[in-house]
Amino acid sequence: MGEHGLLGNEPESIDYTVHEAWNEATNVYLLVILVSFGLLINKRKIMRIFTLPPTVESSTEPNFYDSLQKVRLRQQLEMYSLARKFEQQQQTDSVQLSME
């Protein structure tokens, strides 16, 4: 009777571990299905990550190098303007000196 009790409990414990493994496997499958479904719904967002960046023409944000070139051009124009004013001032001073 004792042996029959052990043998009787053994299949139940096997069934329990199989049942537990089945539950874990179904949980994994459900998780995979939910993640796949979520990825299909958010396909556009995910595709944005893997696509190439937009071309320069369609970009609305200013390019750093373009803005840097504009700053340099502005500085060059200011320096040219100051140099012209300085040259004109020198010419008027020399004319006044020569008149005296």
Side-chain angles (χ1 to χ4, degrees):
M1 185 88 172
E3 289 178 4
H4 184 56
L6 287 175
L7 291 175
N9 287 337
E10 195 172 311
E12 288 178 15
S13 65
I14 291 173
D15 287 342
Y16 181 72
T17 55
V18 168
H19 180 69
E20 191 176 321
W22 178 258
N23 279 340
E24 289 179 13
T26 16
N27 289 340
V28 170
Y29 285 130
L30 285 174
L31 183 64
V32 167
I33 289 170
L34 289 174
V35 167
S36 300
F37 187 67
L39 291 177
L40 286 175
I41 289 176
N42 294 327
K43 184 179 178 182
R44 280 189 189 159
K45 292 179 183 176
I46 293 170
M47 289 306 292
R48 274 189 239 151
I49 295 171
F50 295 108
T51 56
L52 293 173
T55 60
V56 176
E57 298 150 359
S58 65
S59 176
T60 56
E61 61 188 38
N63 189 359
F64 174 74
Y65 294 106
D66 288 342
S67 61
L68 190 62
Q69 285 179 343
K70 289 178 184 178
V71 168
R72 286 182 180 165
L73 180 62
R74 188 179 306 126
Q75 289 174 346
Q76 287 174 352
L77 288 173
E78 288 175 359
M79 292 302 293
Y80 177 76
S81 172
L82 289 173
R84 295 292 294 163
K85 287 180 183 177
F86 181 74
E87 286 175 4
Q88 288 175 355
Q89 183 67 33
Q90 290 295 326
Q91 287 176 356
T92 56
D93 288 345
S94 65
V95 168
Q96 286 178 355
L97 286 175
S98 64
M99 299 232 357
E100 294 177 355

